[in-house]
Amino acid sequence: MPKRYWLFKSEPGCFSIDDLAAEQDRTAHWDGVRNYQARNMLRDEIKKGDELLFHHSGASPAGIIGTCTVVKAGYPDHTALDPQEQHFDPKASEANPIWYMVKVRLKRRFSELIPLSRLKATAGLENMMVCQRGSRLSIQPVTPAEWKIVLKLAGR
DNA sequence: GCCAACGTTGGC
DNA sequence: GCCAACGTTGGC
């Protein structure tokens, strides 16, 4: 199974790349996803060893700020079971967790965020999901070609 | 703060 | 199953 690429969105006010950098081993579980399409990818498709672009949404400007490696594939998101949690879901249970998460390790923080406007203006990224207007999905697949172009924009 | 896009809910 | 209403997301 070849490695696959993804894009994960997070609002920096909620969980930023610097929050991840501050975690022990720069590793954290990616909890709180409450959308079925995104859930299916977390549960079924995203595998250990896959890599992802860390996207800051709701930021000014919004854009890609780094990369992570998936260190653990989909497992139940326990925050759905805790009434104290913001993303608590009364329909979730131990027997039927409904929601899933993966564990990620920060690989690289870009020195500068790549703004969405720049992504949209870059040849080869026209079809990238995050570049489409109204793209709300918080977990998105990225093609190897798009991955390569984004890393090139990030420079060394 | 505005507004477009989209997902979910709920009445029928 | 349809669809309008509503709430949320997210860029600007």
Side-chain angles (χ1 to χ4, degrees):
Chain A
M1 194 60 175
K3 177 165 69 178
R4 295 180 66 186
Y5 300 100
W6 309 92
L7 178 145
F8 283 25
K9 291 186 197 170
S10 182
E11 295 187 32
C14 180
F15 185 75
S16 73
I17 198 163
D18 292 323
D19 293 330
L20 179 56
E23 296 276 347
Q24 184 175 5
D25 206 17
R26 311 212 305 172
T27 301
H29 56 244
W30 198 280
D31 63 84
V33 175
R34 298 292 180 264
N35 168 283
Y36 283 102
Q37 207 180 336
R39 187 281 309 268
N40 292 346
M41 288 187 267
L42 288 170
R43 186 187 59 187
D44 306 330
E45 295 190 58
I46 301 175
K47 300 301 178 194
K48 183 179 175 182
D50 285 0
E51 293 194 87
L52 58 99
L53 301 168
F54 196 123
H55 180 91
H56 275 176
S57 63
S60 47
I64 296 169
I65 184 64
T67 67
C68 297
T69 305
V70 176
V71 296
K72 185 177 179 184
Y75 59 106
D77 181 346
H78 58 77
T79 67
L81 303 177
D82 182 351
Q84 304 304 318
E85 289 284 344
Q86 186 191 349
H87 299 289
F88 171 66
D89 181 352
K91 297 193 293 298
S93 66
E94 294 275 355
N96 180 24
I98 306 180
W99 305 112
Y100 284 74
M101 58 190 182
V102 299
K103 191 172 281 190
V104 304
R105 177 170 301 139
L106 179 61
K107 184 171 188 190
R108 186 177 161 205
R109 188 197 193 289
F110 299 158
S111 48
E112 287 180 45
L113 175 140
I114 306 171
L116 189 54
S117 58
R118 183 153 182 236
L119 298 173
K120 287 179 175 173
T122 300
L125 300 183
E126 300 85 2
N127 297 323
M128 201 173 175
M129 203 179 280
V130 78
C131 291
Q132 311 308 310
R133 79 198 316 290
S135 165
R136 299 205 314 176
L137 199 56
S138 65
I139 306 285
Q140 307 180 351
V142 171
T143 69
E146 289 163 349
W147 179 269
K148 217 170 149 181
I149 295 169
V150 171
L151 284 209
K152 201 169 173 187
L153 288 179
R156 204 45 271 188

